[in-house]
Amino acid sequence: MTQTLENKSVLLVISGGIAAYKSLELIRLIKKAGGAVRCILTKGGEQFVTPLSVSALCEEEAYTDLWSLKDETEMGHIQLTRDADMIVIAPASANLIAQMANGLAQDLASTALLASDKPAIIAPAMNVRMWENPATQANIAKLQEYGHTIIGPSEGDMACGEYGMGRMLEPEEIFAALTSAPQKKTENAAKPLAGKTALVTSGPTFEAIDPVRFIGNRSSGKQGHAIATALQQAGANVTLITGPVSISDPAGVKTVHIETAQEMLKACEDSLPADIAVCAAAVSDWAPKQHEQKIKKRGDASPPHIELNENPDILKTISNHKNRPSVVVGFAAETENLEDNAKAKLTRKGCDMILANLVAQEGAEVFGQDKGHIYCVTAASVDNWQPMSKSAIAKKLTDTIISSLDETETIKSAAE
Ligand code: CTP
């Protein structure tokens, strides 16, 4: 991944939110990486950071006014987005998001963004209820559909005293999204997975018992999301299919949100054909026969009986699909007989590689943790990867997939 923004010009839009102070650090990171930053402050943004601080850090005027004769003569509002290689909106308030989703041009920021045909990276920041409001969620869905990338928000304590989703990502995370944003075609073509498509499953599935209860598990999605990011950074066109998680969608990755195993299977089949499939999701093995109404307590009567049906095996389905990807990878959690169990799973599922987590040992994978101890099992070998971070596992898996694709292609061209 390129950490440099040498010769890149970034247009940063700062709208109203306490998180605006973090954008000052973002300007510093962009400048340090060699990028130039121009900044538009909305009226709300100006309540949290001053044009003076912003322009001192940017070493350039901070733009605030649509009707400024001086600004319009020197740098028209259309030129602001025209000149930018990248546009980032941080913090993106609920109001600015709504303006963008609905094509409104009410101030300099919304007018400049409406006059732009470039995809923007949007880092929302707002109160949890504003974020969860169906109107905001519909606006976010629209912006994604228009090709913008939404990063965050994350979960945590909020300035207003509430807790939940709505915190803007940290400046380092926004900077990482900028440096990993899809590069121009020529830059991307040099990457090892350029032109390849990948699908990755991640997170848990939730299977409804009744309208308010479900069977789920504690999968955080960290490993699957890290794999989607690593494949994207290697140049692949990635679709991530994820169950409900509290981490944000990876930058530059098309992310499909599902709840049940059936929905995950459908989204996977819709994403085929693909060159690579990695099934990292913790799919619930069973789904309850769903009750239409909430199950009520029945006095002294015995607890309700929940009938379970087996869920489809997504990894097995992809491995045996008529549009089977060239490389199919599955995961396994093993506490004993790792090699034998993983090899048996490899055959049973029909995939090419199983990343077996040794869960009984120190440093091993536990749901939600940042490290894992992987054994990479193929029909021909078992490779101990030693305990490492989930992003390092993702990178190592990506390298292994690249070698495996190279081998397949060499064999194919030798046979032709
Ligand atoms: N998997 C899947 N669809 C399912 C169940 C599992 O795609 N319905 C995938 C998972 O994403 C993972 C692998 O299959 O890649 C895990 O296989 P599984 O049989 O569930 O193994 P374990 O979780 O290790 O459990 P067990 O050995 O007890 O069966």
Side-chain angles (χ1 to χ4, degrees), residues 201 279-285 311-316 329-334 345 348-349:
T201 70
C279 292
V283 183
S284 171
D285 290 322
N311 264 333
D313 190 316
I314 296 162
L315 174 59
K316 193 169 174 180
V329 182
F331 272 76
E334 303 295 347
K345 199 163 286 174
R348 202 167 62 239
K349 307 256 184 182

PDB file of all heavy atoms in Angstrom, residues 201 279-285 311-316 329-334 345 348-349, ligand 1:
ATOM      1  N   THR A 201     -16.535 -13.589   2.699  1.00  0.00           N
ATOM      2  CA  THR A 201     -17.618 -13.523   3.691  1.00  0.00           C
ATOM      3  C   THR A 201     -17.009 -13.210   5.051  1.00  0.00           C
ATOM      4  O   THR A 201     -15.865 -13.569   5.324  1.00  0.00           O
ATOM      5  CB  THR A 201     -18.431 -14.839   3.787  1.00  0.00           C
ATOM      6  OG1 THR A 201     -17.621 -15.861   4.382  1.00  0.00           O
ATOM      7  CG2 THR A 201     -18.927 -15.287   2.426  1.00  0.00           C
ATOM      8  N   CYS A 279     -14.075 -17.679   2.603  1.00  0.00           N
ATOM      9  CA  CYS A 279     -15.222 -17.743   3.513  1.00  0.00           C
ATOM     10  C   CYS A 279     -14.717 -17.636   4.947  1.00  0.00           C
ATOM     11  O   CYS A 279     -14.275 -18.619   5.542  1.00  0.00           O
ATOM     12  CB  CYS A 279     -15.978 -19.052   3.310  1.00  0.00           C
ATOM     13  SG  CYS A 279     -16.801 -19.129   1.718  1.00  0.00           S
ATOM     14  N   ALA A 280     -14.749 -16.420   5.475  1.00  0.00           N
ATOM     15  CA  ALA A 280     -14.269 -16.195   6.841  1.00  0.00           C
ATOM     16  C   ALA A 280     -15.425 -15.987   7.810  1.00  0.00           C
ATOM     17  O   ALA A 280     -15.203 -15.780   9.002  1.00  0.00           O
ATOM     18  CB  ALA A 280     -13.347 -14.983   6.872  1.00  0.00           C
ATOM     19  N   ALA A 281     -16.655 -16.028   7.302  1.00  0.00           N
ATOM     20  CA  ALA A 281     -17.807 -15.770   8.184  1.00  0.00           C
ATOM     21  C   ALA A 281     -18.026 -16.924   9.147  1.00  0.00           C
ATOM     22  O   ALA A 281     -17.728 -18.081   8.834  1.00  0.00           O
ATOM     23  CB  ALA A 281     -19.063 -15.564   7.332  1.00  0.00           C
ATOM     24  N   ALA A 282     -18.533 -16.607  10.329  1.00  0.00           N
ATOM     25  CA  ALA A 282     -18.945 -17.636  11.281  1.00  0.00           C
ATOM     26  C   ALA A 282     -20.442 -17.856  11.055  1.00  0.00           C
ATOM     27  O   ALA A 282     -21.280 -17.208  11.695  1.00  0.00           O
ATOM     28  CB  ALA A 282     -18.670 -17.176  12.698  1.00  0.00           C
ATOM     29  N   VAL A 283     -20.724 -18.704  10.067  1.00  0.00           N
ATOM     30  CA  VAL A 283     -22.127 -18.915   9.678  1.00  0.00           C
ATOM     31  C   VAL A 283     -22.799 -19.807  10.723  1.00  0.00           C
ATOM     32  O   VAL A 283     -22.235 -20.826  11.127  1.00  0.00           O
ATOM     33  CB  VAL A 283     -22.191 -19.600   8.293  1.00  0.00           C
ATOM     34  CG1 VAL A 283     -23.631 -19.761   7.833  1.00  0.00           C
ATOM     35  CG2 VAL A 283     -21.368 -18.837   7.276  1.00  0.00           C
ATOM     36  N   SER A 284     -23.972 -19.411  11.132  1.00  0.00           N
ATOM     37  CA  SER A 284     -24.705 -20.257  12.087  1.00  0.00           C
ATOM     38  C   SER A 284     -25.047 -21.574  11.394  1.00  0.00           C
ATOM     39  O   SER A 284     -25.534 -21.581  10.259  1.00  0.00           O
ATOM     40  CB  SER A 284     -25.982 -19.531  12.510  1.00  0.00           C
ATOM     41  OG  SER A 284     -26.782 -20.404  13.249  1.00  0.00           O
ATOM     42  N   ASP A 285     -24.750 -22.694  12.061  1.00  0.00           N
ATOM     43  CA  ASP A 285     -25.000 -23.994  11.420  1.00  0.00           C
ATOM     44  C   ASP A 285     -26.484 -24.292  11.295  1.00  0.00           C
ATOM     45  O   ASP A 285     -26.894 -25.047  10.433  1.00  0.00           O
ATOM     46  CB  ASP A 285     -24.297 -25.103  12.216  1.00  0.00           C
ATOM     47  CG  ASP A 285     -22.784 -25.011  12.075  1.00  0.00           C
ATOM     48  OD1 ASP A 285     -22.331 -24.690  10.951  1.00  0.00           O
ATOM     49  OD2 ASP A 285     -22.063 -25.215  13.069  1.00  0.00           O
ATOM     50  N   ASN A 311     -28.612 -24.991   8.149  1.00  0.00           N
ATOM     51  CA  ASN A 311     -28.396 -23.930   7.157  1.00  0.00           C
ATOM     52  C   ASN A 311     -27.600 -24.464   5.974  1.00  0.00           C
ATOM     53  O   ASN A 311     -26.878 -25.449   6.109  1.00  0.00           O
ATOM     54  CB  ASN A 311     -27.608 -22.781   7.799  1.00  0.00           C
ATOM     55  CG  ASN A 311     -28.526 -21.682   8.290  1.00  0.00           C
ATOM     56  OD1 ASN A 311     -29.619 -21.495   7.758  1.00  0.00           O
ATOM     57  ND2 ASN A 311     -28.093 -20.968   9.301  1.00  0.00           N
ATOM     58  N   PRO A 312     -27.685 -23.790   4.818  1.00  0.00           N
ATOM     59  CA  PRO A 312     -26.856 -24.210   3.691  1.00  0.00           C
ATOM     60  C   PRO A 312     -25.379 -24.004   4.030  1.00  0.00           C
ATOM     61  O   PRO A 312     -25.055 -23.072   4.764  1.00  0.00           O
ATOM     62  CB  PRO A 312     -27.270 -23.256   2.566  1.00  0.00           C
ATOM     63  CG  PRO A 312     -27.895 -22.089   3.234  1.00  0.00           C
ATOM     64  CD  PRO A 312     -28.490 -22.597   4.517  1.00  0.00           C
ATOM     65  N   ASP A 313     -24.514 -24.859   3.529  1.00  0.00           N
ATOM     66  CA  ASP A 313     -23.075 -24.675   3.735  1.00  0.00           C
ATOM     67  C   ASP A 313     -22.550 -23.827   2.567  1.00  0.00           C
ATOM     68  O   ASP A 313     -22.469 -24.294   1.429  1.00  0.00           O
ATOM     69  CB  ASP A 313     -22.368 -26.035   3.794  1.00  0.00           C
ATOM     70  CG  ASP A 313     -20.931 -25.880   4.258  1.00  0.00           C
ATOM     71  OD1 ASP A 313     -20.247 -24.944   3.778  1.00  0.00           O
ATOM     72  OD2 ASP A 313     -20.492 -26.680   5.097  1.00  0.00           O
ATOM     73  N   ILE A 314     -22.231 -22.581   2.865  1.00  0.00           N
ATOM     74  CA  ILE A 314     -21.882 -21.623   1.805  1.00  0.00           C
ATOM     75  C   ILE A 314     -20.541 -21.982   1.167  1.00  0.00           C
ATOM     76  O   ILE A 314     -20.400 -22.005  -0.058  1.00  0.00           O
ATOM     77  CB  ILE A 314     -21.879 -20.185   2.392  1.00  0.00           C
ATOM     78  CG1 ILE A 314     -23.305 -19.850   2.846  1.00  0.00           C
ATOM     79  CG2 ILE A 314     -21.384 -19.168   1.367  1.00  0.00           C
ATOM     80  CD1 ILE A 314     -23.409 -18.705   3.801  1.00  0.00           C
ATOM     81  N   LEU A 315     -19.558 -22.305   2.017  1.00  0.00           N
ATOM     82  CA  LEU A 315     -18.226 -22.670   1.509  1.00  0.00           C
ATOM     83  C   LEU A 315     -18.317 -23.880   0.574  1.00  0.00           C
ATOM     84  O   LEU A 315     -17.744 -23.888  -0.519  1.00  0.00           O
ATOM     85  CB  LEU A 315     -17.303 -22.969   2.707  1.00  0.00           C
ATOM     86  CG  LEU A 315     -15.916 -23.507   2.400  1.00  0.00           C
ATOM     87  CD1 LEU A 315     -15.118 -22.555   1.526  1.00  0.00           C
ATOM     88  CD2 LEU A 315     -15.153 -23.782   3.712  1.00  0.00           C
ATOM     89  N   LYS A 316     -19.086 -24.883   1.011  1.00  0.00           N
ATOM     90  CA  LYS A 316     -19.235 -26.103   0.205  1.00  0.00           C
ATOM     91  C   LYS A 316     -19.951 -25.794  -1.108  1.00  0.00           C
ATOM     92  O   LYS A 316     -19.575 -26.293  -2.177  1.00  0.00           O
ATOM     93  CB  LYS A 316     -20.032 -27.127   1.029  1.00  0.00           C
ATOM     94  CG  LYS A 316     -20.009 -28.512   0.478  1.00  0.00           C
ATOM     95  CD  LYS A 316     -20.594 -29.451   1.513  1.00  0.00           C
ATOM     96  CE  LYS A 316     -20.724 -30.844   0.939  1.00  0.00           C
ATOM     97  NZ  LYS A 316     -21.296 -31.764   1.921  1.00  0.00           N
ATOM     98  N   VAL A 329     -11.048 -20.544  -0.296  1.00  0.00           N
ATOM     99  CA  VAL A 329     -10.414 -20.685   1.026  1.00  0.00           C
ATOM    100  C   VAL A 329     -11.485 -20.720   2.110  1.00  0.00           C
ATOM    101  O   VAL A 329     -12.423 -19.920   2.097  1.00  0.00           O
ATOM    102  CB  VAL A 329      -9.477 -19.473   1.302  1.00  0.00           C
ATOM    103  CG1 VAL A 329      -8.769 -19.625   2.651  1.00  0.00           C
ATOM    104  CG2 VAL A 329      -8.472 -19.290   0.183  1.00  0.00           C
ATOM    105  N   GLY A 330     -11.322 -21.667   3.051  1.00  0.00           N
ATOM    106  CA  GLY A 330     -12.239 -21.726   4.190  1.00  0.00           C
ATOM    107  C   GLY A 330     -11.473 -21.588   5.494  1.00  0.00           C
ATOM    108  O   GLY A 330     -10.233 -21.630   5.516  1.00  0.00           O
ATOM    109  N   PHE A 331     -12.196 -21.421   6.579  1.00  0.00           N
ATOM    110  CA  PHE A 331     -11.599 -21.337   7.916  1.00  0.00           C
ATOM    111  C   PHE A 331     -12.089 -22.501   8.760  1.00  0.00           C
ATOM    112  O   PHE A 331     -13.126 -23.097   8.475  1.00  0.00           O
ATOM    113  CB  PHE A 331     -12.003 -20.021   8.598  1.00  0.00           C
ATOM    114  CG  PHE A 331     -11.075 -18.883   8.278  1.00  0.00           C
ATOM    115  CD1 PHE A 331     -11.132 -18.250   7.037  1.00  0.00           C
ATOM    116  CD2 PHE A 331     -10.133 -18.473   9.190  1.00  0.00           C
ATOM    117  CE1 PHE A 331     -10.268 -17.213   6.735  1.00  0.00           C
ATOM    118  CE2 PHE A 331      -9.256 -17.434   8.889  1.00  0.00           C
ATOM    119  CZ  PHE A 331      -9.324 -16.805   7.669  1.00  0.00           C
ATOM    120  N   ALA A 332     -11.333 -22.838   9.780  1.00  0.00           N
ATOM    121  CA  ALA A 332     -11.784 -23.857  10.729  1.00  0.00           C
ATOM    122  C   ALA A 332     -11.278 -23.498  12.109  1.00  0.00           C
ATOM    123  O   ALA A 332     -10.201 -22.923  12.244  1.00  0.00           O
ATOM    124  CB  ALA A 332     -11.248 -25.222  10.320  1.00  0.00           C
ATOM    125  N   ALA A 333     -12.093 -23.807  13.110  1.00  0.00           N
ATOM    126  CA  ALA A 333     -11.648 -23.609  14.489  1.00  0.00           C
ATOM    127  C   ALA A 333     -11.411 -24.995  15.065  1.00  0.00           C
ATOM    128  O   ALA A 333     -12.335 -25.807  15.116  1.00  0.00           O
ATOM    129  CB  ALA A 333     -12.725 -22.880  15.266  1.00  0.00           C
ATOM    130  N   GLU A 334     -10.187 -25.298  15.443  1.00  0.00           N
ATOM    131  CA  GLU A 334      -9.884 -26.643  15.935  1.00  0.00           C
ATOM    132  C   GLU A 334      -9.250 -26.574  17.318  1.00  0.00           C
ATOM    133  O   GLU A 334      -8.450 -25.682  17.598  1.00  0.00           O
ATOM    134  CB  GLU A 334      -8.898 -27.366  14.979  1.00  0.00           C
ATOM    135  CG  GLU A 334      -9.366 -27.484  13.532  1.00  0.00           C
ATOM    136  CD  GLU A 334     -10.595 -28.364  13.352  1.00  0.00           C
ATOM    137  OE1 GLU A 334     -10.977 -29.090  14.294  1.00  0.00           O
ATOM    138  OE2 GLU A 334     -11.193 -28.317  12.263  1.00  0.00           O
ATOM    139  N   LYS A 345     -11.875 -31.622   6.634  1.00  0.00           N
ATOM    140  CA  LYS A 345     -12.771 -30.500   6.269  1.00  0.00           C
ATOM    141  C   LYS A 345     -12.506 -30.049   4.836  1.00  0.00           C
ATOM    142  O   LYS A 345     -13.428 -29.748   4.082  1.00  0.00           O
ATOM    143  CB  LYS A 345     -12.565 -29.341   7.251  1.00  0.00           C
ATOM    144  CG  LYS A 345     -13.697 -28.359   7.261  1.00  0.00           C
ATOM    145  CD  LYS A 345     -13.708 -27.466   8.487  1.00  0.00           C
ATOM    146  CE  LYS A 345     -14.171 -28.223   9.727  1.00  0.00           C
ATOM    147  NZ  LYS A 345     -14.070 -27.434  10.938  1.00  0.00           N
ATOM    148  N   ARG A 348     -14.186 -32.564   2.671  1.00  0.00           N
ATOM    149  CA  ARG A 348     -15.652 -32.496   2.825  1.00  0.00           C
ATOM    150  C   ARG A 348     -16.232 -31.276   2.133  1.00  0.00           C
ATOM    151  O   ARG A 348     -17.251 -31.343   1.478  1.00  0.00           O
ATOM    152  CB  ARG A 348     -15.968 -32.445   4.327  1.00  0.00           C
ATOM    153  CG  ARG A 348     -17.360 -32.900   4.664  1.00  0.00           C
ATOM    154  CD  ARG A 348     -17.542 -33.147   6.150  1.00  0.00           C
ATOM    155  NE  ARG A 348     -17.354 -31.962   6.971  1.00  0.00           N
ATOM    156  CZ  ARG A 348     -16.443 -31.858   7.927  1.00  0.00           C
ATOM    157  NH1 ARG A 348     -15.610 -32.845   8.164  1.00  0.00           N
ATOM    158  NH2 ARG A 348     -16.353 -30.754   8.647  1.00  0.00           N
ATOM    159  N   LYS A 349     -15.532 -30.139   2.260  1.00  0.00           N
ATOM    160  CA  LYS A 349     -16.069 -28.897   1.696  1.00  0.00           C
ATOM    161  C   LYS A 349     -15.674 -28.725   0.228  1.00  0.00           C
ATOM    162  O   LYS A 349     -16.303 -27.972  -0.501  1.00  0.00           O
ATOM    163  CB  LYS A 349     -15.553 -27.688   2.485  1.00  0.00           C
ATOM    164  CG  LYS A 349     -15.796 -27.772   3.983  1.00  0.00           C
ATOM    165  CD  LYS A 349     -16.936 -26.887   4.404  1.00  0.00           C
ATOM    166  CE  LYS A 349     -17.092 -26.907   5.911  1.00  0.00           C
ATOM    167  NZ  LYS A 349     -18.202 -26.098   6.370  1.00  0.00           N
TER     168      LYS A 349
HETATM  169  N1  CTP B   1     -19.162 -22.217   6.557  1.00  0.00           N
HETATM  170  C1  CTP B   1     -20.051 -21.817   5.577  1.00  0.00           C
HETATM  171  N2  CTP B   1     -21.375 -22.098   5.712  1.00  0.00           N
HETATM  172  C2  CTP B   1     -21.828 -22.763   6.794  1.00  0.00           C
HETATM  173  C3  CTP B   1     -20.923 -23.175   7.804  1.00  0.00           C
HETATM  174  C4  CTP B   1     -19.595 -22.882   7.647  1.00  0.00           C
HETATM  175  O1  CTP B   1     -19.620 -21.196   4.597  1.00  0.00           O
HETATM  176  N3  CTP B   1     -23.120 -23.029   6.903  1.00  0.00           N
HETATM  177  C5  CTP B   1     -17.734 -21.944   6.350  1.00  0.00           C
HETATM  178  C6  CTP B   1     -17.128 -20.938   7.302  1.00  0.00           C
HETATM  179  O2  CTP B   1     -17.166 -19.633   6.742  1.00  0.00           O
HETATM  180  C7  CTP B   1     -15.697 -21.446   7.445  1.00  0.00           C
HETATM  181  C8  CTP B   1     -15.875 -22.953   7.389  1.00  0.00           C
HETATM  182  O3  CTP B   1     -17.036 -23.162   6.620  1.00  0.00           O
HETATM  183  O4  CTP B   1     -14.913 -21.073   6.333  1.00  0.00           O
HETATM  184  C9  CTP B   1     -16.039 -23.521   8.780  1.00  0.00           C
HETATM  185  O5  CTP B   1     -16.575 -24.785   8.664  1.00  0.00           O
HETATM  186  P1  CTP B   1     -17.382 -25.504   9.842  1.00  0.00           P
HETATM  187  O6  CTP B   1     -17.841 -26.808   9.292  1.00  0.00           O
HETATM  188  O7  CTP B   1     -18.409 -24.611  10.423  1.00  0.00           O
HETATM  189  O8  CTP B   1     -16.239 -25.728  10.810  1.00  0.00           O
HETATM  190  P2  CTP B   1     -16.000 -25.299  12.277  1.00  0.00           P
HETATM  191  O9  CTP B   1     -16.534 -23.921  12.518  1.00  0.00           O
HETATM  192  O10 CTP B   1     -14.551 -25.486  12.492  1.00  0.00           O
HETATM  193  O11 CTP B   1     -16.873 -26.287  13.125  1.00  0.00           O
HETATM  194  P3  CTP B   1     -17.000 -27.892  13.199  1.00  0.00           P
HETATM  195  O12 CTP B   1     -15.643 -28.458  12.912  1.00  0.00           O
HETATM  196  O13 CTP B   1     -17.455 -28.119  14.556  1.00  0.00           O
HETATM  197  O14 CTP B   1     -18.002 -28.276  12.154  1.00  0.00           O
END
